[in-house]
Amino acid sequence: MNGPMRRTVRVINPLGLHWRVAEQFSRTAGRYTSAVVVRNGETSADGKSPTSLILLVALPGTELVLEVDGPDAAMAIDPLAAILAAPSGEDYTI
Amino acid sequence: MEYKYGIAVSPGVAIGPALVLDTEGVLIQHRTVPPDQVEAEVVRLQKALDEAAEDARSTRERLTAKIGPTFGNIFGAQASVFQDPGLRSQVETLIRIQYYSAEYAVSRVIRDFVKTLEEAARKIPEHSRAEILRRSAEFIDLERQVLANLLGHPTDTFTNLTEPVVILANDLMPSDTADFNPRTVRAFATESGGNTSHTAILAGALEIPAVVGIGRFLTDVSGGDMVIVDGEEGVLIIDPDEDTLRRYEDKRIALLSRVDRYESIRDKPAVTNDATPVPIRLLGNIELAQEAEHCLERGAEGVGLYRTEFLYLNKTADPTEEEHYSAYASVLHKLGPSRPVVIRTLDLGADKFSSLSGTVAGEKNPFLGLRSVRLCLRNLDLFKTQLRAILRAAVHGDVRVMFPMISTMDELRQCKTLLNEVKEDLEDAGVPFKRDVRVGTMIEVPSAALLADFMAREVDFFSIGTNDLIQYTLAADRNNENVANLYQPSDPAVLRLIQMVVQAAQRAQIEVNVCGEMSGEQLFIPLLVGMGLRQLSATPRKIPEIKQVIRVLQVTEAQEVARRALGLETARQVSSYLREQLRRILPQAVD
């Protein structure tokens, strides 16, 4: 095993990592068997849990570290990184 | 039987079965479950979360069909939270390991999230803060939905109580106390809180006996236990014995008859005992619309202080103009077209609420910080919304507008300019409003008292807010037990400032009123009348007591009391002199 795949992603969405992004991200992460972890500095979140993603308090400009660990990691990392890096998402919260 | 001591904040005695609230104010009757019910509790939790997710999904479909996916998806995100495996496992762990009830476990987990977000919000730049605080408010909304499913009924239980209870809680939110119906909520007692807390003021206003600041006691009591709340002495008695019950039943009845005695003077005029009786206008301080009735019941001639903070507290969004307007209009309808109603604009400390835009969290010294009118002048939209509503409501009666915590002439002028701008806006928009409302300022900062002669040129009336004036003059917080002894209404420095303000008002021929707690105490009535006050505003409950003093008082003797008191050097000397005088003037005075 090579250990987890890692990618640093900068949040550019003006609302930061908001509910809709968290929902979309966790839903996508849930489709893969790999473990997905998102780190904001010292804080880390389970990528399959939208609440834990919200608690990262990732503001616009934050550099997040995405870690995907498992058999389908290579397949998962691109779409997951794309969600975090998306420029707008839709402008709403729950 | 157990005695617990706290701070008496609202008088009266009540006896009844306890209703214990969860620490966060949500009605949770059982915090734990027996070990053999743990699995059933987990199932109950899963069912409640599934239901909430299902509701959110069907709302999404309904809204998507109706107004499009943008709004529908909002509820899709909600559904995903209810189904969040991370959230579920945290809550389930608390049930399995701690034997928490499903309600309590959900509440604990979500409140932790809220706390995390609020702490994070304090550390981030101001422009991002509102967004993060909104997310925390959304968590609270999610919690309520799950609790509603678990409890099987809406969580606004206070309005649905059918039997009288005594409410015991860690703390109560002002919005909780506002729903208390005095017929079913006989009293309350809380672990935290102080005598100036908003909840304490509201308890006094609703005339529900209350004791706060007791410290930890909820673990010593269960729902349904018989309890006594003595709001005179600040005592909570859990599970009283027969003797104690009897003794307190007698005390309760004695207190009620005192109330009746005052009713007998309700319809008598508030005039002095001089050959030519001098009228003293007695007004009520209110916060809630239902208190307008208390004013009338106690013979107040109007409202001298209508506090509006209530509209802002515990809201995730600022109140709308319509919310302001309908609150004001309902008070005016109760009081009729000719009784004065002085509406004070927002007077909140930045510490009191986190949801308001522009609030600075974590000020080192909030009482000397961005609060009250300072906050309003930095949030003009918020301020104008309130001013518009006041001017519109003014068509229904004798409304006067009053600005709190003015400390400079510039602030006062800015407020007046803004009021005029709002009038122009209303005029342009063709909205009905009253142009010539009287404008006043609170005098509650020493700088304003010192400039009272200048301030008098700008306004139609003054209202002296003694609570803040005392705190700022003596630089002492009365809730800080280390310095509370410095906080004395009878301090000579305070009396001098009051005298300056009254004289400035007299010279400028404008009205002056005292609306702090000082004017509600019989002790200070001879002094205040002697200093020249002809208007006093106090909590409605106090009005009969004040009137009782006024009706036996002569202006000349009051002037002599004021003259002598102003010559004394210490608060202690003033208090003991005033006590002596009150005993002479009104031998049957309480205390």
Side-chain angles (χ1 to χ4, degrees):
Chain A
M1 289 296 287
N2 312 335
M5 293 187 71
R6 241 184 227 105
R7 177 102 38 105
T8 302
V9 185
R10 196 176 146 86
V11 177
I12 54 168
N13 183 315
L15 288 176
L17 199 174
H18 60 75
W19 283 108
R20 177 67 179 141
V21 178
E23 190 261 335
Q24 209 187 342
F25 186 93
S26 59
R27 191 157 35 86
T28 309
R31 293 196 194 117
Y32 300 97
T33 53
S34 293
V36 180
V37 174
V38 182
R39 297 185 197 279
N40 178 7
E42 303 281 287
T43 318
S44 62
D46 173 0
K48 300 184 184 186
S49 161
T51 38
S52 95
L53 291 166
I54 284 297
L55 295 173
L56 287 176
V57 192
L59 302 173
T62 304
E63 304 244 309
L64 295 173
V65 178
L66 169 63
E67 286 178 10
V68 189
D69 191 3
D72 49 7
M75 218 169 22
I77 195 153
D78 285 337
L80 288 172
I83 295 170
L84 292 182
S88 80
E90 299 101 316
D91 280 353
Y92 43 71
T93 53
I94 61 168
Chain B
M1 182 166 70
E2 236 177 308
Y3 280 74
K4 304 282 178 188
Y5 299 90
I7 305 164
V9 291
S10 182
V13 164
I15 305 169
L19 179 71
V20 183
L21 301 191
D22 156 66
T23 51
E24 306 292 352
V26 181
L27 183 65
I28 292 177
Q29 270 142 337
H30 306 287
R31 286 183 185 215
T32 54
V33 295
D36 62 337
Q37 280 179 32
V38 161
E39 288 313 311
E41 204 63 10
V42 171
V43 171
R44 217 160 68 81
L45 168 79
Q46 288 164 342
K47 212 172 134 244
L49 288 169
D50 289 344
E51 269 175 43
E54 191 46 52
D55 285 348
R57 268 194 299 271
S58 69
T59 309
R60 175 182 60 183
E61 279 155 32
R62 207 174 57 239
L63 285 184
T64 304
K66 211 165 149 188
I67 46 179
T70 308
F71 289 97
N73 282 338
I74 296 172
F75 291 89
Q78 278 205 357
S80 80
V81 174
F82 294 129
Q83 288 181 313
D84 185 335
L87 173 91
R88 285 188 176 216
S89 82
Q90 279 187 62
V91 180
E92 285 176 25
T93 305
L94 286 180
I95 297 173
R96 291 209 165 93
I97 309 288
Q98 309 274 5
Y99 304 151
Y100 281 171
S101 66
E103 290 91 339
Y104 194 56
V106 164
S107 183
R108 287 268 42 99
V109 168
I110 293 191
R111 295 293 165 153
D112 277 349
F113 292 166
V114 168
K115 219 165 115 198
T116 306
L117 288 177
E118 283 175 354
E119 275 166 17
R122 270 198 286 279
K123 293 179 198 143
I124 61 179
E126 195 176 341
H127 59 269
S128 308
R129 196 172 292 144
E131 172 64 25
I132 299 302
L133 289 174
R134 186 156 79 228
R135 287 175 201 167
S136 87
E138 284 157 357
F139 268 124
I140 292 175
D141 182 36
L142 297 171
E143 176 200 21
R144 287 196 185 266
Q145 294 180 45
V146 181
L147 288 180
N149 284 347
L150 282 169
L151 296 163
H153 55 76
T155 48
D156 58 347
T157 321
F158 298 130
T159 43
N160 301 332
L161 287 172
T162 49
E163 287 180 18
V165 292
V166 171
I167 293 191
L168 306 179
N170 173 267
D171 200 3
L172 293 164
M173 295 289 119
S175 62
D176 294 332
T177 44
D179 288 336
F180 284 178
N181 175 344
R183 269 186 286 279
T184 46
V185 176
R186 284 191 176 156
F188 70 75
T190 62
E191 292 185 333
S192 51
N195 55 4
T196 49
S197 63
H198 206 77
T199 300
I201 291 170
L202 281 178
L206 294 170
E207 305 185 349
I208 300 172
V211 178
V212 304
I214 298 174
R216 286 252 161 266
F217 73 87
L218 289 179
T219 42
D220 304 336
V221 61
S222 310
D225 284 356
M226 187 58 76
V227 293
I228 298 172
V229 171
D230 181 346
E232 307 282 321
E233 304 293 332
V235 182
L236 166 71
I237 304 166
I238 299 166
D239 194 19
D241 60 28
E242 296 250 325
D243 270 4
T244 311
L245 263 181
R246 210 171 305 121
R247 204 152 38 81
Y248 271 94
E249 188 55 35
D250 291 348
K251 184 169 181 180
R252 194 178 70 83
I253 289 163
L255 287 171
L256 288 178
S257 68
R258 189 172 86 190
V259 173
D260 289 346
R261 260 209 317 281
Y262 287 131
E263 271 189 7
S264 63
I265 72 164
R266 177 182 61 195
D267 299 322
K268 295 189 179 144
V271 293
T272 59
N273 189 25
D274 293 279
T276 315
V278 176
I280 308 291
R281 179 182 253 180
L282 297 183
L283 303 163
N285 294 348
I286 69 165
E287 173 122 30
L288 306 175
Q290 63 257 47
E291 291 175 80
E293 283 156 27
H294 297 169
C295 289
L296 299 178
E297 285 163 10
R298 304 299 151 88
E301 292 176 48
V303 171
L305 170 63
Y306 180 6
R307 302 185 179 96
T308 58
E309 292 70 63
F310 185 73
L311 291 160
Y312 296 84
L313 289 167
N314 282 3
K315 296 276 169 69
T316 47
D318 299 337
T320 62
E321 184 180 324
E322 286 314 306
E323 284 171 316
H324 280 287
Y325 173 83
S326 69
Y328 306 153
S330 75
V331 167
L332 291 164
H333 285 136
K334 280 179 186 145
L335 286 174
S338 55
R339 289 192 185 85
V341 175
V342 179
I343 302 180
R344 182 180 68 185
T345 59
L346 174 63
D347 184 29
L348 267 185
D351 58 317
K352 287 280 170 53
F353 52 114
S354 51
S355 58
L356 185 67
S357 49
T359 304
V360 175
E363 286 188 307
K364 279 207 177 132
N365 204 339
F367 282 99
L368 302 183
L370 184 65
R371 58 188 301 240
S372 189
V373 81
R374 302 170 180 183
L375 195 67
C376 291
L377 288 171
R378 287 269 290 268
N379 291 273
L380 294 183
D381 287 345
L382 173 112
F383 199 13
K384 282 184 170 179
T385 302
Q386 180 170 33
L387 293 176
R388 278 174 69 95
I390 293 173
L391 290 169
R392 284 176 51 206
V395 301
H396 301 297
D398 181 3
V399 168
R400 297 151 193 214
V401 59
M402 176 163 78
F403 302 114
M405 218 202 161
I406 294 287
S407 40
T408 67
M409 291 293 285
D410 283 339
E411 281 173 338
L412 183 54
R413 288 186 180 133
Q414 279 178 52
C415 289
K416 286 177 63 188
T417 307
L418 207 63
L419 188 67
N420 286 330
E421 279 175 26
V422 171
K423 286 178 189 172
E424 297 316 315
D425 293 348
L426 287 168
E427 183 86 58
D428 292 348
V431 177
F433 72 102
K434 188 167 159 197
R435 181 169 279 283
D436 57 343
V437 293
R438 291 199 224 176
V439 178
T441 180
M442 295 277 293
I443 302 283
E444 52 186 339
V445 180
S447 62
L450 292 166
L451 295 184
D453 53 340
F454 291 166
M455 299 257 172
R457 297 173 193 160
E458 299 282 336
V459 292
D460 302 308
F461 65 92
F462 284 157
S463 193
I464 306 174
T466 48
N467 298 12
D468 272 347
L469 187 62
I470 298 164
Q471 127 160 320
Y472 290 129
T473 302
L474 277 311
D477 174 1
R478 69 169 160 180
N479 292 320
N480 177 342
E481 57 187 27
N482 299 315
V483 296
N485 62 319
L486 292 171
Y487 179 102
Q488 296 293 345
S490 52
D491 194 280
V494 174
L495 302 192
R496 280 194 188 181
L497 288 174
I498 294 175
Q499 193 191 29
M500 283 181 68
V501 176
V502 174
Q503 287 175 350
Q506 285 171 339
R507 275 195 295 272
Q509 296 185 311
I510 63 168
E511 287 182 20
V512 56
N513 176 41
V514 172
C515 67
E517 276 169 44
M518 195 173 175
S519 57
E521 288 188 41
Q522 288 188 326
L523 186 67
F524 295 111
I525 303 306
L527 171 70
L528 293 172
V529 171
M531 287 203 283
L533 283 149
R534 296 294 176 265
Q535 253 189 54
L536 298 168
S537 189
T539 179
R541 179 167 45 79
K542 297 282 192 181
I543 285 177
E545 296 176 24
I546 305 171
K547 196 191 277 186
Q548 196 186 20
V549 179
I550 286 168
R551 289 181 53 81
V552 295
L553 186 68
Q554 291 182 346
V555 169
T556 43
E557 75 179 333
Q559 284 165 341
E560 180 60 15
V561 168
R563 198 187 63 76
R564 296 274 298 272
L566 283 158
L568 298 171
E569 291 175 355
T570 67
R572 188 189 297 260
Q573 287 170 347
V574 172
S575 301
S576 74
Y577 172 69
L578 293 179
R579 256 196 297 277
E580 187 185 297
Q581 290 303 307
L582 182 62
R583 240 177 268 131
R584 185 180 59 75
I585 295 164
L586 187 71
Q588 73 272 34
V590 204
D591 188 22

